[in-house]
Amino acid sequence: MKVTAILNWVGCILVGVGLSACASTSAPSISAQHLASAEYDSEPKAIADPNEKFNRSVFEANQDFNHDVLYPVAKSYNENVPEPVRDRIDAFTTNLSEPMVFANNILQLRLEAAATTFGRFAVNSTLGLGGLFDVAVTQGMTHQSGDFGQTMYVWGYRDSAYLVLPIIGPTNVRDAIGTGVEFAAQIPAGALIPTKAATLASRVNLAGSVTSPLSNLSKVEDMQTLEESSIDFYSMLRSVTDQKRQAELQEALETSALTGTPKPPDPNAIEPVMTIVSSPTMLEKRRMTDVPKMSSASDHGGSIVVVGPPTPIEAH
């Protein structure tokens, strides 16, 4: 248990950017938000960094660890482990992450992404020799985004302050909570429920814990290159990580049945289709009126499934 927990944290270390030294402070306060609040803005928002002084102090401590430990280890790994072997480790680690991605796709009501993720895991676990080869991508099934921080964003937890943590590195309050939830979810199930299925899940989790740090070592040199080309690496890294994250969050909003605009029905469709949309009540809160009329779906032999609280019926 202890070894698995430590390895899981090491995986988080290398996925992020900075590593280490400990510091303590209170987390920035956040205001309550509600599901299906307005989410689209024409102008990009400035990165909220109200605790920059604390963040920079942790960032500097992390960078000391990077230069003393992480960069040398990553260089040795990339120089001594052949690229084909590194590629197999990357593919294997990605495949082990697919169940968690799938679960978050379902929670976000991103059904197409969930189907793609399920298909990827099935194909790569069989034809890809347990995930050593990404066969699914050759069939047009690309790796999907999906984590609990993203799930909370779709559910309505939007604005969140930038945060640099010891060990984890650059993140924000919402994603830090999401990382904690996912970490708790990865506690070996075999230790809690002694069944064959739980034991298998425990072994899969252990395999992911071992390979994740190795997989991310190959990406550390990219961070080092970015640092060497930056005048203010803190600001540069904050901008780069925020841009990448915003792209993932926006993708989730646009493809979720809770927040996305439904695609218009295909007039050439032969088979009946089913459309999943937010309820009119939820759309009104988001100042949107994009629920297709029931008649338009019935005209094509389809049906509409409304997601969310029902619209109140006025008494006559």
Side-chain angles (χ1 to χ4, degrees):
M1 281 284 290
K2 291 182 178 180
V3 173
T4 302
I6 293 172
L7 289 172
N8 267 320
W9 275 114
V10 173
C12 293
I13 293 173
L14 299 173
V15 171
V17 189
L19 300 174
S20 253
C22 292
S24 62
T25 189
S26 58
S29 60
I30 53 176
S31 57
Q33 302 205 7
H34 303 281
L35 177 65
S37 57
E39 63 271 347
Y40 297 103
D41 295 308
S42 58
E43 295 295 333
K45 293 182 179 179
I47 303 174
D49 192 1
N51 298 291
E52 183 172 350
K53 184 176 180 180
F54 161 74
N55 287 336
R56 283 187 178 271
S57 66
V58 177
F59 175 80
E60 292 300 327
N62 288 345
Q63 285 302 103
D64 289 341
F65 186 87
N66 290 346
H67 288 283
D68 294 341
V69 179
L70 183 60
Y71 290 169
V73 171
K75 182 179 180 180
S76 177
Y77 174 77
N78 290 328
E79 290 179 349
N80 293 286
V81 179
E83 184 175 0
V85 176
R86 300 201 305 268
D87 290 343
R88 300 289 70 77
I89 292 175
D90 290 347
F92 182 70
T93 304
T94 300
N95 191 58
L96 292 178
S97 71
E98 299 287 18
M100 184 66 72
V101 174
F102 174 79
N104 281 289
N105 290 160
I106 292 295
L107 291 173
Q108 297 168 23
L109 282 185
R110 296 171 59 202
L111 302 187
E112 289 186 11
T116 299
T117 300
F118 181 83
R120 279 181 54 81
F121 186 71
V123 171
N124 288 338
S125 297
T126 53
L127 300 180
L129 303 180
L132 292 175
F133 297 88
D134 192 351
V135 179
V137 76
T138 64
Q139 305 300 316
M141 292 184 287
T142 58
H143 180 64
Q144 304 294 304
S145 63
D147 57 74
F148 199 71
Q150 188 185 59
T151 297
M152 289 192 292
Y153 187 87
V154 171
W155 287 353
Y157 186 170
R158 300 289 157 75
D159 297 333
S160 186
Y162 183 71
L163 188 63
V164 181
L165 295 176
I167 309 274
I168 297 177
T171 182
N172 56 58
V173 177
R174 180 192 59 248
D175 290 347
I177 296 172
T179 298
V181 170
E182 290 193 352
F183 175 74
Q186 291 174 1
I187 295 176
L192 304 176
I193 309 174
T195 64
K196 291 183 178 180
T199 301
L200 177 61
S202 175
R203 291 175 180 174
V204 169
N205 178 60
L206 177 60
S209 301
V210 172
T211 59
S212 181
L214 295 177
S215 174
N216 289 287
L217 275 176
S218 61
K219 306 169 187 176
V220 171
E221 288 188 342
D222 294 336
M223 183 179 69
Q224 186 175 9
T225 301
L226 181 64
E227 179 182 0
E228 293 171 351
S229 62
S230 304
I231 298 176
D232 182 358
F233 187 40
Y234 174 87
S235 298
M236 173 64 75
L237 191 60
R238 180 179 59 186
S239 176
V240 169
T241 55
D242 182 73
Q243 288 179 30
K244 180 179 182 297
R245 187 55 171 164
Q246 288 302 321
E248 294 173 346
L249 297 175
Q250 190 64 30
E251 177 190 31
L253 285 181
E254 293 174 353
T255 56
S256 169
L258 285 173
T259 55
T261 302
K263 296 180 180 179
D266 183 0
N268 299 318
I270 299 177
E271 298 295 332
V273 296
M274 181 174 66
T275 303
I276 298 181
V277 299
S278 298
S279 72
T281 301
M282 296 175 69
L283 293 172
E284 183 178 354
K285 291 181 180 180
R286 300 206 318 268
R287 300 175 185 175
M288 299 175 64
T289 56
D290 52 6
V291 175
K293 296 179 180 179
M294 298 299 290
S295 59
S296 63
S298 59
D299 290 343
H300 294 88
S303 60
I304 293 179
V305 176
V306 178
V307 178
T311 305
I313 300 178
E314 298 180 0
H316 295 285

